[in-house]
Amino acid sequence: MSENRKPLLGFVHKLPDANAPGNSGKTHCPSCLGLFKAPRLLPCLHTVCTTCLEKLEPFSVVDIRGGDSDTSSEGSLFQEPKPRSLQPQVGILCPVCDAQVDLPLGGVKALTIDHLAMNDVMLESLRGEGQGLVCDLCSDREVEKRCQTCKANLCHFCCQAHRRQKKTMYHTVVDLKDLKGYSRVGKPILCPAHPAEELRLFCELCDQPVCRDCVVGEHREHPYDFTSNVIHKHGDSVRELLRGTQPRVEALEEALAQIESMNSGLQERVEAVAGDVRTFSEGYIKAIEEHRDRLLKQLDDIRVQKENSLQLQKAQLEQLLADMRTGVEFTEHLLTSGSDLEILITKGVVVERLRKLNKVEYSARPGVNDKICFSPQEKAGQCRGYEVYGAINTKEVDPAKCVLQGEDLHRAREKQTASFTLLCKDATGESMGRGGDNVQVAVVPKDKKDSPVRTVVQDNKDGSYNVSFTPKEPGVYTVWVCIREQHVQGSPFTMTVRRKHRPHPGVFHCCSFCSSGGQKTARCACGGTMPGGYLGCGHGHKGHPGRPHWSCCGKFMEKSECTYPGGQSAPRSLLRTVAL
């Protein structure tokens, strides 16, 4: 097999621009931020200097494998399971993406070398007039020339020596400044197992580049070929995989763009809603402050009104007291110091004055009270378009003025819910207009005072309360309704609970003859009969009441309770007429 060699300059490709986009950022280590030094390619496709990777703190990774068993036989029904062994493995985290990197047995130095990055570093150094590059032979002086045949960077002294040697005197040597426009100036890639040999062959079985010594050693009898011959096949497979990956990249970019757009829209929406919240809150705060000022003004007006009433009452009582004292003092002085004639002369005026003073009516109690309360849960209408709560109340419920209303006040049915309404009023008889009073209701059977009926009191928040209860048995019950431990007007009172309403098992008809379709055996509770052996009633015949009635009990009211004692459990001979 002969190697198909390419022209000398076929290894380097001309760049349209030395500063083409895409090269920046490919020459500096993301960890130390300096130019790559022996860069290693991680499985996550990030490149890091070897020294930087060696500085990372390794951690232990437990790798569970099935011993030395062949993975191709896993899951076989006829293969005996082999014991699993825990093999500790060392790993590090990629300094760029924090991906877990499982180190091979050789450690960091066994990772793949990024030759592409090394080429970019050399190009970067060439663009900087050779700064940072040293001679490959003496490793001391700065590079001036490059041997295109050996792919070696040489200083001036080593270049002269290179040309004097017979083996290298015909090698092509160029100045570094002449290489700035090329895309590749990398060194030949040598075999790690045989450093003197260049990797020019590719082992198809092991899927890795090899040298000439490898194919006669550990890769003996393995199918191999020159890299130039197999690059097309493997390059095409990589390109095919790349073509399948690029749409996913575009889809991810589009998804990220949508997320970014949504995030921007979210921020704008949040700001807009935040503005609405602030506007609403500021308006609400102003409304509450205005409502607060109204309440305080109302409270001050109540104070002034009550104080004026008290001051007026005080002035009237003080004036009456002064008049009383004047009359008492004058009368006592007259009776103790006056002569008989003086008493008799003055008696008329004194008696008239004292009688008038004694007839003056006055209240010994203050005309107003200090009953002022604040109800924070009470609706107070709207202020600036906002619903506000909280009201000042000066009314006080008077149990003696409260009223009980409802059809179920004095009668109810067993096992049926009965209800009535309590209307709370103040001392003037006006409705309280608000709730919150402590209403206590008790429904107790007279013969079982230790078994009160459970009651439910619903506050309607308007001064009225709905009271409901369900008596379990018929009988006479006593009902107590109290506010602040005082009976309201009409409390306590008695209530008669009758048995459950009994529906009519029969039919409301004109006669048994019509409702039964002319059956002779159909009977009716009215007791009417017809000639010809008919047991029921007919129009105009004996016993017919002359108007529609119930066949089961004979009642004339359609909406009424059945009084027939047999009810629905009557024997067959007493069954009443049924509707067809």
Side-chain angles (χ1 to χ4, degrees):
M1 183 181 296
S2 63
E3 179 183 1
N4 296 329
R5 294 186 176 273
K6 295 185 177 180
L8 182 63
L9 294 180
F11 184 69
V12 292
H13 306 280
K14 202 70 170 174
L15 286 178
D17 186 4
N19 297 322
N23 289 335
S24 60
K26 296 182 179 181
T27 58
H28 290 71
C29 175
S31 182
C32 64
L33 303 181
L35 287 174
F36 282 122
K37 296 179 181 178
R40 302 285 174 175
L41 183 63
L42 302 181
C44 57
L45 301 186
H46 289 127
T47 304
V48 186
C49 294
T50 302
T51 55
C52 295
L53 291 176
E54 291 175 342
K55 293 178 182 179
L56 296 177
E57 183 177 358
F59 56 88
S60 178
V61 179
V62 177
D63 185 18
I64 301 178
R65 294 185 175 92
D68 57 352
S69 61
D70 185 6
T71 56
S72 62
S73 63
E74 288 183 3
S76 174
L77 296 177
F78 305 98
Q79 182 83 14
E80 291 184 2
K82 296 184 179 181
R84 289 181 174 266
S85 61
L86 298 179
Q87 299 179 356
Q89 189 174 3
V90 178
I92 57 175
L93 294 180
C94 173
V96 179
C97 64
D98 284 338
Q100 178 178 324
V101 178
D102 296 336
L103 295 178
L105 296 179
V108 171
K109 292 184 179 179
L111 293 172
T112 303
I113 298 176
D114 192 348
H115 296 280
L116 188 61
M118 295 176 63
N119 178 75
D120 293 337
V121 169
M122 187 169 294
L123 287 174
E124 183 76 15
S125 300
L126 289 177
R127 296 187 186 104
E129 299 296 336
Q131 296 179 2
L133 289 180
V134 294
C135 179
D136 292 339
L137 298 182
C138 64
S139 301
D140 187 18
R141 302 177 183 86
E142 290 187 359
V143 176
E144 294 184 3
K145 304 285 185 177
R146 177 175 175 81
C147 177
Q148 293 290 69
T149 306
C150 301
K151 304 297 187 295
N153 298 324
L154 306 173
C155 63
H156 179 71
F157 179 80
C158 293
C159 180
Q160 291 179 347
H162 199 67
R163 286 178 174 176
R164 287 195 295 268
Q165 296 180 7
K166 292 183 179 181
K167 293 183 178 180
T168 59
M169 61 186 302
Y170 297 108
H171 287 188
T172 303
V173 179
V174 297
D175 292 335
L176 288 181
K177 60 181 180 180
D178 296 334
L179 299 175
K180 292 183 180 180
Y182 294 96
S183 63
R184 292 198 58 82
V185 292
K187 300 179 181 180
I189 302 176
L190 304 179
C191 178
H194 309 96
E197 295 294 330
E198 185 178 353
L199 295 174
R200 296 186 176 183
L201 304 174
F202 187 81
C203 178
E204 295 285 356
L205 180 63
C206 301
D207 195 30
Q208 66 179 27
V210 293
C211 67
R212 292 184 298 179
D213 292 349
C214 291
V215 297
V216 297
E218 61 176 311
H219 294 273
R220 181 181 300 176
E221 298 182 358
H222 289 187
Y224 68 92
D225 199 349
F226 288 103
T227 57
S228 58
N229 295 336
V230 300
I231 185 61
H232 301 290
K233 178 180 68 173
H234 293 278
D236 291 342
S237 64
V238 174
R239 292 186 186 93
E240 183 66 25
L241 184 60
L242 179 62
R243 283 193 293 269
T245 305
Q246 285 175 339
R248 298 177 65 86
V249 173
E250 296 174 357
L252 288 174
E253 290 176 348
E254 183 179 356
L256 288 174
Q258 292 179 358
I259 291 177
E260 187 65 26
S261 175
M262 180 60 69
N263 187 42
S264 300
L266 176 64
Q267 296 299 328
E268 294 177 359
R269 186 57 185 162
V270 167
E271 293 176 0
V273 174
D276 295 340
V277 171
R278 293 188 187 95
T279 303
F280 173 81
S281 301
E282 291 172 359
Y284 207 174
I285 291 173
K286 291 181 180 179
I288 293 176
E289 290 177 348
E290 183 175 331
H291 183 54
R292 175 201 61 193
D293 296 339
R294 288 181 183 177
L295 292 176
L296 294 177
K297 177 65 169 57
Q298 180 184 357
L299 181 62
D300 190 63
D301 292 342
I302 294 173
R303 177 189 61 80
V304 172
Q305 179 183 0
K306 287 181 176 290
E307 285 183 351
N308 290 340
S309 298
L310 291 174
Q311 291 297 330
L312 177 60
Q313 185 180 10
K314 178 182 177 182
Q316 293 174 347
L317 292 178
E318 287 177 346
Q319 183 63 44
L320 181 59
L321 178 60
D323 294 342
M324 287 285 189
R325 285 176 176 174
T326 300
V328 171
E329 291 175 358
F330 182 84
T331 304
E332 289 180 347
H333 178 67
L334 176 63
L335 294 176
T336 56
S337 303
S339 62
D340 296 341
L341 184 58
E342 291 173 342
I343 293 174
L344 294 174
I345 293 174
T346 316
K347 177 181 72 73
V349 178
V350 172
V351 171
E352 181 66 23
R353 180 58 176 170
L354 292 178
R355 287 178 177 175
K356 183 179 294 186
L357 291 175
N358 290 333
K359 291 181 179 180
V360 175
E361 296 182 357
Y362 64 91
S363 174
R365 301 177 61 183
V368 295
N369 54 40
D370 59 351
K371 300 297 183 181
I372 304 175
C373 64
F374 176 65
S375 302
Q377 303 297 330
E378 185 174 344
K379 290 185 178 181
Q382 289 191 345
C383 182
R384 291 178 173 263
Y386 296 89
E387 190 76 25
V388 293
Y389 292 81
I392 294 177
N393 296 302
T394 58
K395 292 182 178 181
E396 184 179 14
V397 63
D398 186 354
K401 299 291 185 177
C402 295
V403 178
L404 295 172
Q405 294 180 347
E407 297 180 356
D408 299 335
L409 272 176
H410 299 286
R411 63 179 184 273
R413 298 273 186 177
E414 64 170 335
K415 299 180 182 180
Q416 294 182 358
T417 302
S419 62
F420 59 87
T421 303
L422 170 65
L423 301 179
C424 291
K425 299 184 179 183
D426 60 4
T428 62
E430 294 184 0
S431 175
M432 292 296 296
R434 59 173 176 81
D437 294 306
N438 185 18
V439 178
Q440 299 173 337
V441 180
V443 180
V444 182
K446 280 194 172 183
D447 54 347
K448 295 182 180 179
K449 295 185 178 181
D450 57 344
S451 302
V453 179
R454 180 179 176 274
T455 59
V456 177
V457 179
Q458 179 182 354
D459 188 351
N460 297 325
K461 307 297 183 181
D462 58 357
S464 65
Y465 300 83
N466 290 335
V467 180
S468 60
F469 58 95
T470 304
K472 296 181 180 180
E473 299 177 356
V476 179
Y477 289 73
T478 303
V479 182
W480 285 271
V481 182
C482 299
I483 296 181
R484 298 201 315 269
E485 299 183 356
Q486 298 182 21
H487 284 282
V488 301
Q489 181 181 357
S491 176
F493 60 90
T494 59
M495 172 182 291
T496 302
V497 177
R498 295 185 295 175
R499 294 191 178 276
K500 189 176 181 181
H501 181 80
R502 182 184 300 168
H504 293 276
V507 292
F508 192 72
H509 63 176
C510 61
C511 69
S512 60
F513 181 82
C514 294
S515 63
S516 66
Q519 295 182 13
K520 290 186 175 183
T521 57
R523 298 189 180 190
C524 183
C526 68
T529 58
M530 292 186 299
Y534 286 90
L535 302 179
C537 59
H539 299 288
H541 293 284
K542 180 180 179 181
H544 191 276
R547 53 179 169 167
H549 55 282
W550 283 101
S551 64
C552 49
C553 60
K555 279 193 173 182
F556 303 136
M557 294 181 60
E558 184 175 3
K559 294 183 179 180
S560 61
E561 182 180 5
C562 183
T563 57
Y564 176 66
Q568 295 180 350
S569 60
R572 179 69 180 174
S573 59
L574 297 179
L575 281 180
R576 302 313 183 202
T577 306
V578 295
L580 293 177

